[in-house]
Amino acid sequence: MHIRPVPSSRHALRLDLSSSIGAWFRMLLMGVAVLLSGCGGGSGGFSFVGAGPGVTPPDTPTVQPPSGFSYAMTSATYELGQPIVPNRPSASGGTVERYTIEPALPAGLVIDGTTGVISGTPTVLAASTVYTVTAGNAGGTATARVVVEVRQSPAAPAGLSYRELAPVYTVGQGIAANAPSSSGGPITGYGIAPALPAGLSLDALTGVISGTPTATAAAADYVVTGTNTAGSATVTLRLTVQPALAAPASVSYDTPAALYVTTEPIVPNTAQVTGGPASSFTIAPALPAGLSINAATGAVTGTPGAIQSQATYTVTASNAAGSAQTQLKISVTARGNWTAAAPIPVARHYSAAVKLANGKVLLVGGIGGTGYTGAADLYDPATDTWTTLPQMLAARADSSATLLADGRVLVAGGDSSNSASQASAELYDPVANTWTATGSMSVARTRHSASLLPNGKVLAIGGYQTATQYSQTAELYDPATGTWSLMATPLSTPRAQHGAQLLAGGSAVLLIGGIGGPSGAAHQLTSAELFPVNDSGSTTLVAGTVPAGNIYISALLADGSVLASTDGSTTALRFDPSGLAFTASTIASSIKRVLPTMTVLADGRVLLAGGAGLATAEIYNPDVDTWTAAASMSNARSRATAILLNDGSVLVISGDSGSGDLTSVERFTP
């Protein structure tokens, strides 16, 4: 065997063992290595290298080395022939197992190798000398300097100080012992003035202050005097005893349910705590990306980076006595942005649009510069191009357009000229790129509603037949036969230009507002009703009234509720199917939008864009029932057509700028 020291601050030893050494001898060497591991300074430790087959380093737990090692008297002047006041060490970290000192102490003085206490009676004079004490354990070592001088005559104490000079204590909580340190002659007794606060005491021999305060005490100065036969030294402590710590009773926030906007710094949401003061705050789960909580104050700050629906976070405010919790709700929306898309070949308004099964958008009919048109165009989002398709069999505006289950598109009704409604319908086949006639409705309908039912049939409801005659009927289209059948159930009142949504489950269509009433007496309706898909014979009126308006638009939300608005009001409505009731919310712009577009986004929010003379847009956040401003379009437009694309963007097509129809098309990215 040979032992080869490896250079290291740890003075670790590496043992190279020949594989020929017997197993008993290898075990003996491992024992030696363990003993040697504590010999050096620093953090200690050892390693085995090349120990040979079958030898595994012992699995020993990590030992924390000593730290924060010092003596009560860092510089002591002793009197020849007089017993000294024991100089006691203190250390943190791992437990000290042994103490050594270099060089040797003056004759008569000794260090206890187990406790580190320096004691005895000096028998020779000694000049002031620095002694290095090493405290060690299996994990490593720490050192402290002690200056010792032995004189013929006694020396007065000097340099009296305490570990904590201005501590703040708490009623009912035991304090960490506050020990003194000094230089000069050793102190043989301690005194303090005035008396310490109730529950605290000063050890007259060691000077240590300890105890558990029992009453509050305002900040005050206390003078500690350390004496010996040669003189004294003083130090002033400033002590405070604060009331017993109480746990936080409650925690709340300025904004308990917050809606933030991506890329926009939030207004700091600050916490208020009752009861005892909180020393720390935590939150679970983690806040949205870009937001953080101040662990000391609980304030939530930052700039959110991504959209998210409302989520609930639990905030815990704590101190040593306990904690309190509250829930914080946070949702994040965005303004979005608009980009120009390829212009449409024929500028027009009151068109109908359908997204085909392949993701392309079919736009049909409308009113343009040459009047009512049968134009059909196809938009490809992938290439941002329009393709002109064969024209419809009839020019029509304000018709319905419904994507059937087999991929064809049913276009029904609409005006062929001013207030001249038609009953005809036709089918577009995307595969053959052709239009073919199909069965006509029983009556002419314009601005009616058309809903694709779960069974693949299409339910057309209401609409106007002439400028003063409105329909009170509904009929059902069967794609298998290409025919319409009149429903037996009448509406409660004739209506057109109403909002309509097939409710979740497909059992009823909600009809909201619009224009209607008896022939010649049409007016803006303030009623809503549920039309039974099973044609049970009567509709169900929804209790209460809705704001009057010329045209209602609506959208089905992810939770099954329905959002609706009209050009006659600044208030949007939300219908709850479970309670058969409406609630209202004020749109962000607080202005009446005349003929805007309404589109449900892929993330469940709703985009309301444009209106007569308006390029602005806003977003409805259904999880918090709140409207927020969105980025504005490049052009003011009303009577436009909007469709949600497969990539989550919204295509807003053409429309009326107020001074004419637009060829421009814009694309909204949420």
Side-chain angles (χ1 to χ4, degrees):
M1 176 191 85
H2 83 226
I3 299 176
R4 183 172 68 249
V6 177
S8 164
S9 63
R10 295 172 175 261
H11 297 281
L13 297 180
R14 298 180 182 267
L15 304 181
D16 285 345
L17 303 180
S18 168
S19 60
S20 62
I21 298 176
W24 67 271
F25 195 44
R26 291 199 300 270
M27 294 302 294
L28 176 60
L29 289 176
M30 285 194 292
V32 171
V34 171
L35 291 174
L36 291 174
S37 67
C39 295
S43 59
F46 60 90
S47 61
F48 287 77
V49 177
V55 178
T56 303
D59 184 13
T60 56
T62 301
V63 177
Q64 185 180 8
S67 61
F69 180 37
S70 64
Y71 272 83
M73 292 191 69
T74 58
S75 179
T77 302
Y78 299 128
E79 182 181 0
L80 182 68
Q82 297 297 318
I84 73 170
V85 174
N87 196 1
R88 303 179 186 278
S90 63
S92 55
T95 301
V96 179
E97 298 174 350
R98 60 192 176 276
Y99 294 87
T100 59
I101 193 167
E102 290 183 357
L105 287 165
L109 299 181
V110 295
I111 184 170
D112 189 306
T114 302
T115 65
V117 174
I118 297 172
S119 60
T121 301
T123 59
V124 296
L125 298 175
S128 178
T129 303
V130 175
Y131 297 85
T132 301
V133 182
T134 301
N137 63 19
T141 62
T143 60
R145 289 160 47 95
V146 177
V147 178
V148 174
E149 179 183 1
V150 180
R151 294 181 181 178
Q152 186 68 49
S153 58
L160 179 59
S161 185
Y162 271 81
R163 179 174 53 83
E164 291 185 275
L165 294 174
V168 176
Y169 301 131
T170 302
V171 171
Q173 292 187 9
I175 73 170
N178 197 4
S181 62
S182 64
S183 58
I187 296 173
T188 57
Y190 291 86
I192 193 168
L196 285 168
L200 299 181
S201 62
L202 174 80
D203 188 305
L205 292 178
T206 65
V208 172
I209 297 173
S210 60
T212 301
T214 58
T216 60
D221 290 338
Y222 298 82
V223 178
V224 178
T225 303
T227 61
N228 64 18
T229 58
S232 64
T234 62
V235 64
T236 299
L237 306 181
R238 189 164 183 81
L239 274 61
T240 306
V241 181
Q242 63 187 6
L245 186 64
S250 69
V251 57
S252 61
Y253 275 83
D254 291 343
T255 309
L259 173 63
Y260 300 131
V261 180
T262 59
T263 73
E264 298 179 10
I266 73 171
V267 174
N269 198 2
T270 58
Q272 289 78 42
V273 178
T274 64
S279 58
S280 65
F281 292 81
T282 58
I283 194 166
L287 285 166
L291 299 182
S292 62
I293 187 170
N294 186 305
T297 67
V300 175
T301 59
T303 302
I307 297 169
Q308 76 163 37
S309 297
Q310 188 179 73
T312 301
Y313 301 85
T314 300
V315 178
T316 303
S318 307
N319 64 20
S323 63
Q325 291 185 331
T326 190
Q327 288 191 328
L328 189 60
K329 297 181 185 296
I330 296 176
S331 53
V332 183
T333 188
R335 309 287 186 203
N337 62 82
W338 295 88
T339 54
I344 191 156
V346 179
R348 55 202 195 259
H349 62 271
Y350 288 161
S351 301
V354 170
K355 183 174 67 176
L356 303 180
N358 61 8
K360 297 180 181 181
V361 177
L362 173 67
L363 185 75
V364 296
I367 305 172
T370 59
Y372 290 75
T373 179
D377 298 285
L378 189 68
Y379 178 74
D380 185 345
T383 60
D384 186 32
T385 56
W386 288 93
T387 302
T388 299
L389 303 179
Q391 290 214 352
M392 292 187 291
L393 302 179
R396 59 183 85 222
D398 279 333
S399 64
S400 62
T402 308
L403 179 67
L404 303 178
D406 61 8
R408 295 180 297 164
V409 177
L410 172 68
V411 178
D415 282 339
S416 58
S417 61
N418 191 28
S419 300
S421 299
Q422 53 191 318
S424 68
E426 52 189 296
L427 293 167
Y428 175 70
D429 184 340
V431 176
N433 191 27
T434 58
W435 292 95
T436 57
T438 188
S440 293
M441 295 180 287
S442 62
V443 296
R445 301 179 190 273
T446 296
R447 283 200 174 271
H448 55 289
S449 60
S451 303
L452 180 67
L453 303 182
N455 61 9
K457 296 181 180 181
V458 178
L459 178 61
I461 303 176
Y464 59 77
Q465 296 166 265
T466 67
T468 59
Q469 185 179 3
Y470 297 82
S471 175
Q472 197 171 356
T473 65
E475 48 191 305
L476 199 62
Y477 177 76
D478 186 346
T481 62
T483 58
W484 295 86
S485 56
L486 195 64
M487 305 286 275
T489 303
L491 306 183
S492 64
T493 185
R495 70 175 73 222
Q497 302 183 172
H498 50 276
Q501 287 297 321
L502 179 68
L503 299 181
S507 63
V509 176
L510 173 67
L511 307 175
I512 312 167
I515 301 290
S519 296
H523 58 274
Q524 295 178 342
L525 300 175
T526 59
S527 64
E529 58 188 310
L530 294 170
F531 187 91
V533 169
N534 65 1
D535 201 16
S536 61
S538 63
T539 63
T540 301
L541 280 172
V542 178
T545 60
V546 300
N550 183 40
I551 296 176
Y552 258 90
I553 53 178
S554 61
L556 183 66
L557 304 180
D559 65 355
S561 62
V562 176
L563 180 71
S565 70
T566 178
D567 52 13
S569 176
T570 60
T571 298
L573 301 175
R574 187 167 178 177
F575 177 75
D576 177 10
S578 62
L580 298 181
F582 286 99
T583 55
S585 63
T586 301
I587 61 178
S589 60
S590 296
I591 59 174
K592 296 178 181 179
R593 290 185 179 269
V594 179
L595 299 172
T597 62
M598 178 181 282
T599 312
V600 179
L601 302 176
D603 57 27
R605 297 176 300 149
V606 181
L607 173 69
L608 190 65
L614 298 174
T616 59
E618 48 198 294
I619 288 177
Y620 179 69
N621 303 275
D623 52 343
V624 291
D625 189 30
T626 302
W627 291 87
T628 51
S632 293
M633 296 182 287
S634 297
N635 296 103
R637 65 183 79 222
S638 65
R639 301 186 288 185
T641 307
I643 201 83
L644 179 69
L645 302 179
N646 285 346
D647 67 355
S649 64
V650 177
L651 193 71
V652 178
I653 308 165
S654 195
D656 180 7
S657 67
S659 58
D661 292 326
L662 297 163
T663 59
S664 77
V665 178
E666 300 191 52
R667 198 163 171 172
F668 177 77
T669 301

